[in-house]
Each structure stands twice: as structure tokens, then as C-alpha cells.
Amino acid sequence: MIPLDTLRARYLEGIRAAADEAALEELRLAALGKKGEVALLMRELGKMSPEERQTIGKSLNELKDEIDALLRARKAAFADAALDERLKAEWLDVTLPGRPRRMGTIHPVSQVMEECSAIFADMGFRVAEGPQIETDWYNFDALNIAPEHPARQEHDTFFMHRAEGDARPPHVLRTHTSPVQIRAMLDQGAPIRVIAPGRVYRMDMDQTHTPMFHQIEGMAIDRDISMANLKWVLEEFFSAYFGTKVKTRFRASHFPFTEPSAEVDIQCSWVGGQLKVGEGDGWLEVLGSGMMHPKVLQAGGIDPNEWQGFAFGMGIDRMAMLKYGIPDLRAFFESDLRWLRHYGFGALDAPSIHAG
Ligand code: PHE
């Protein structure tokens, strides 16, 4: 029989010197495996005398435990080292700046709505909203648009389908944002200051008209609101929006829901086919406005003997074209990625009164 000390020295040294887990496993099998040296010696015990068996058996067991313990310890050390290696290899500097990836762009119309909202918010106007599918009443009657008014005719207005035999007037795709005036008044009462940006629809299609476009409605009601307030608010708005002092010109006009009514032009110049807002002696029509008609206030549940207000409605798409030099309105709604990349805005450039 090989002296146990020789076995011990061989295995313990071998295990200490093992280069990897595979080498450890080989040693384990050689010593403790079914046909390993220690296991074979254990089998010899049966042939020994009881006294021999006691002492040698004990020593063998101790040797087996010793080898086993050292194997486990070395195995754990290899695992730790492997983890350290991996942590080193997979180390990541989370403080490095990210690689910017442009995820789409903000459409100029959305951008301009945000810009307008920011400017009007600064003057105390809240944003109000209404549905794009409106009832006949909100879109027309409540705004003092008589049943025979041409704006109601099929060629201007998109009417929703009605089930056969349904006698109620059909819903319409709202033709302007003015019905939000009524909804806001009924909702909030007076005094009130709101703007209402949103989509509107008319049957119209050429280079400067699309069947869907965007407006922004404005309305202020208080005890002594006048046209002077309207003019100040609009000039303040245009100057903030275009970043330069902009003069306005009011021309007498007619809307069923305002009295008096005015169309408003902004000052501009045409030089070499280039349009510049806020200079020169040309004029460009940009909105309709006026003092709210008493019947409209009434429809909104507000007493016209106590309150008065101004209202205006402006095309947003036109405002975007003017500010950002976009020539064709139809391209706004063609979803051409090249156009969007060119005219779009970064998702994180939030508009403000300072940054525009
Ligand atoms: N609703 C009108 C239009 O769409 C604009 C307008 C709004 C005029 C409010 C006066 C007052 O043309």
C-alpha cells in the first residue's frame, strides 16, 4: 500500500498547482472518483484486521475530507477570479455622454401651436379644447350663423352621415375653432381668457388650401374689454412670435359672431420674392376678429349686459409658413420624411417665450 502521506502530498500539491477547473476535476476523479486512489484504498479496508481498519480507515477518511475541502476552496477561488475578469471586461462608464439618436421630429404645426400657447399663456390665456366632430349647434347656431348662411352649404362643410330616418341635423367636422368659444363659456363662465388651437375642416384644396388645416381661437371676456385690448394683445403676440416689432392693420369686415368685426393684417415687405414680416409697407391678412356678438355671449350662458369680450381666429399653418419660410401648404400633410427632417424640430427643443 502507498503510504498515505505520499498520497496526501501528491494530491494537495497537485490541487494547489492546478491551472484551471478542468485540472481540478481530473484530480478529483483520480483521488476520490469511483476508481480513484483513495476510493480503491477504502475498498482494501475489508481485508484488514479490525484494529488496522480502525486506524487506517480513520486516516483515509481524514485524507478524503482534506482533499475534498481543498478542491472546493480552489474551485471557489477559480469562480471568484472568473467573475473578477468578467467584471473588468464588461465594465461600463455610465458617466459617458450618450450617442444622440434623432427619434423623429416635431411637425412645424405642433411646434407653432406650442409657441403660440406659450406666448398667450404669458398673457393669462388658458388652453381650451373641443371635439373635431361638432354638433350643428356649436359650430353654427350658437355662433349666430343663420340656417341659410352660405358657410353651411355642402361645398364648404363636411357633414357626417346620418342613419336614414334620423331627423336630427347631422354632426359636422368643425369648420373653425369658434365652437370652442361656446364650450369654454358654458364650462367656465366669465371673466375668461382662453385660446383654442386645433384642427378644422373645409372642402377646399389648392396650393394654399387643404381640406384639413389648423386654427387658433382666442377669446377674452370681462366687464370692459374693448377692441383696444384686442389690438394690444395681437400686436404683443405677433411681436413675440416673430421676434420683432410687428404693426397690425384692422380692416372692417363681417362675421355673424362678432360685431364689429375686423380682418387683421400684419406688416410685411416683399423684397426679391422674399417675404419679411415686421418691416416695409406691405400687408398680409392673417386673422379674423371682433367684439363678440351679444347673441353668442347669450348662447354661452353669459349676460351681454354685464360682460363683453373680443374673439379672434387665426390660421396656424399660415403662421408656420411665414415664420419658417415654408412655401407650399400641401407638403405639411404629405408625411414626406425628407420634408419632416428638413422643417421638423428636435423633440427636446421645448418652445418658450424666450427661445421661440
Ligand atoms: N371663425 C372665423 C374663421 O374661421 C375666424 C374668427 C374667429 C373671426 C373669431 C372672428 C372671431 O374664419
Side-chain angles (χ1 to χ4, degrees), residues 175-178 181 202 215 217-218 255 257-258 288-290 311-313:
T175 57
H176 50 181
T177 41
S178 299
Q181 288 182 28
R202 286 179 206 174
Q215 285 189 331
E217 193 82 7
F255 299 102
F257 31 93
T258 44
S289 66
F312 61 85

Side-chain angles (χ1 to χ4, degrees), residues 102-124:
R102 216 165 140 163
M103 306 262 293
T105 54
I106 301 293
H107 194 284
V109 170
S110 306
Q111 173 78 13
V112 167
M113 280 195 193
E114 289 294 323
E115 289 176 16
C116 294
S117 302
I119 297 168
F120 281 112
D122 194 51
M123 293 192 269

Side-chain angles (χ1 to χ4, degrees), residues 111-306:
Q111 173 78 13
V112 167
M113 280 195 193
E114 289 294 323
E115 289 176 16
C116 294
S117 302
I119 297 168
F120 281 112
D122 194 51
M123 293 192 269
F125 287 77
R126 283 165 54 164
V127 172
E129 282 179 315
Q132 294 174 39
I133 299 175
E134 257 307 1
T135 67
D136 189 62
W137 188 79
Y138 279 108
N139 196 78
F140 295 125
D141 301 86
L143 289 162
N144 193 37
I145 301 176
E148 67 283 1
H149 194 280
R152 289 194 181 221
Q153 274 160 26
E154 302 263 356
H155 64 265
D156 282 322
T157 307
F158 289 105
F159 290 93
M160 302 297 288
H161 184 70
R162 265 262 179 257
E164 217 167 310
D166 192 337
R168 290 172 300 169
H171 282 72
V172 300
L173 291 183
R174 69 180 179 193
T175 57
H176 50 181
T177 41
S178 299
V180 185
Q181 288 182 28
I182 309 293
R183 291 183 175 274
M185 283 188 282
L186 291 173
D187 224 43
Q188 300 172 34
I192 182 174
R193 249 181 277 176
V194 291
I195 55 162
R199 296 182 161 191
V200 301
Y201 302 83
R202 286 179 206 174
M203 261 184 240
D204 228 343
M205 184 72 176
D206 59 36
Q207 201 184 340
T208 53
H209 295 92
T210 48
M212 185 280 296
F213 59 103
H214 299 82
Q215 285 189 331
I216 190 162
E217 193 82 7
M219 174 177 83
I221 302 173
D222 212 321
R223 294 186 191 277
D224 50 9
I225 292 269
S226 72
M227 290 289 272
N229 299 126
L230 172 64
K231 184 161 170 99
W232 182 86
V233 163
L234 290 179
E235 288 197 347
E236 197 70 11
F237 164 74
F238 288 124
S239 300
Y241 179 77
F242 289 108
T244 176
K245 181 97 196 102
V246 179
K247 283 194 193 134
T248 61
R249 182 173 77 173
F250 280 51
R251 278 180 295 105
S253 181
H254 174 78
F255 299 102
F257 31 93
T258 44
E259 182 58 42
S261 304
E263 274 171 329
V264 178
D265 305 338
I266 53 175
Q267 176 196 13
C268 69
S269 72
W270 283 98
V271 184
Q274 254 258 334
L275 182 74
K276 285 214 174 110
V277 174
E279 57 181 58
D281 47 15
W283 296 99
L284 195 73
E285 184 194 324
V286 288
L287 62 78
S289 66
M291 294 303 293
M292 294 176 70
H293 196 288
K295 284 192 184 163
V296 173
L297 290 168
Q298 251 158 3
I302 288 174
D303 181 358
N305 295 314
E306 210 180 317

